[in-house]
Amino acid sequence: DAGVTQSPTHLIKTRGQQVTLRCSPKSGHDTVSWYQQALGQGPQFIFQYYEEEERQRGNFPDRFSGHQFPNYSSELNVNALLLGDSALYLCASSLAGQSYEQYFGPGTRLTVT
Amino acid sequence: RKEVEQDPGPFNVPEGATVAFNCTYSNSASQSFFWYRQDCRKEPKLLMSVYSSGNEDGRFTAQLNRASQYISLLIRDSKLSDSATYLCVVRTDRGSTLGRLYFGRGTQLTVWP
């Protein structure tokens, strides 16, 4: 039973560039949530996708956008990267109606220089 | 005010010690409560759910006080392998049945021999 997978594991970008991160949910899960975790902080909710639509969004600018595909996998896109976007980006999957527990992927560590 | 407030520590304790972590949450409508564990540079993993009646899992005991909006985690007989960051997590449904998790910033624990 495959868990949540994310790619790439590490990424280095320069300011102003754009980045796409990918997530495949745990088998049987249909809901994907994305989190940003800065160093020394807890994960902060970016947004959540279900049935290929953004269902909830945290306090993040429009530079952060996403997508969910028919196979439930998801992408997180960040445009016009800032130094402050450097963080660990975590994807979590769950099953709608049972989303009290979310399973996290290993994360993508993004460094913006 | 943050949704979840947590003392970041760090807590440095010897093996065998008992250590307690606390956190408070601001939304009285929150439905579910958890403690997650996060090892250095890894993803968060569910340690245990927290119930008003209190629940125990081996050396770990979690407690919820809804009236005070207070959550606790007690670790008895600390082991070196307990060294990690412990994240207090609250699930709140804001008009969506999909739920959303709010994380505290985490409390760092180091157990020394």
Side-chain angles (χ1 to χ4, degrees):
Chain A
D1 180 19
V4 181
T5 59
Q6 290 186 246
S7 64
T9 54
H10 296 85
L11 205 51
I12 299 174
K13 291 285 190 178
T14 56
R15 280 178 295 177
Q17 285 189 314
Q18 178 265 345
V19 68
T20 297
L21 310 182
R22 295 176 176 82
C23 170
S24 291
K26 179 179 168 64
S27 177
H29 285 182
D30 55 10
T31 304
V32 173
S33 301
W34 286 92
Y35 295 82
Q36 180 196 65
Q37 186 174 23
L39 197 62
Q41 301 296 318
Q44 298 296 308
F45 178 80
I46 303 175
F47 42 52
Q48 181 183 67
Y49 278 84
Y50 171 66
E51 292 186 330
E52 302 179 48
E53 289 187 12
E54 182 182 294
R55 299 293 178 164
Q56 300 189 76
R57 188 178 183 94
N59 189 27
F60 279 80
D62 292 344
R63 298 187 297 110
F64 289 77
S65 64
H67 190 78
Q68 185 180 35
F69 299 94
N71 67 352
Y72 308 119
S73 67
S74 177
E75 286 183 352
L76 163 66
N77 301 293
V78 187
N79 294 323
L81 284 167
L82 304 173
L83 294 180
D85 294 332
S86 295
L88 178 67
Y89 287 85
L90 294 160
C91 167
S93 75
S94 56
L95 184 61
Q98 298 181 17
S99 55
Y100 58 87
E101 181 172 355
Q102 296 188 4
Y103 292 81
F104 284 84
T108 293
R109 190 163 297 279
L110 173 65
T111 302
V112 182
T113 63
Chain B
R1 183 183 173 187
K2 289 189 175 182
E3 293 276 343
V4 181
E5 296 276 5
Q6 204 179 343
D7 178 356
F11 285 67
N12 297 301
V13 302
E15 272 188 295
T18 295
V19 61
F21 305 139
N22 307 309
C23 83
T24 57
Y25 61 95
S26 61
N27 191 336
S28 60
S30 297
Q31 292 94 351
S32 307
F33 309 88
F34 312 93
W35 284 99
Y36 275 71
R37 170 190 169 131
Q38 186 171 28
D39 293 298
C40 187
R41 304 181 76 85
K42 299 284 190 180
E43 74 273 23
K45 292 186 178 178
L46 179 66
L47 178 66
M48 58 196 303
S49 300
V50 189
Y51 306 109
S52 297
S53 55
N55 48 303
E56 188 174 308
D57 182 2
R59 300 181 291 108
F60 298 82
T61 301
Q63 196 81 42
L64 166 67
N65 184 322
R66 283 190 180 269
S68 303
Q69 295 179 206
Y70 174 93
I71 307 164
S72 66
L73 176 68
L74 183 75
I75 304 176
R76 293 181 300 278
D77 189 22
S78 298
K79 309 292 185 190
L80 296 177
S81 57
D82 294 334
S83 297
T85 295
Y86 291 83
L87 297 159
C88 179
V89 183
V90 171
R91 177 177 179 251
T92 304
D93 295 340
R94 294 179 181 269
S96 169
T97 59
L98 296 177
R100 172 180 163 175
L101 299 183
Y102 293 86
F103 286 78
R105 64 178 296 184
T107 299
Q108 185 180 343
L109 170 67
T110 300
V111 181
W112 45 273

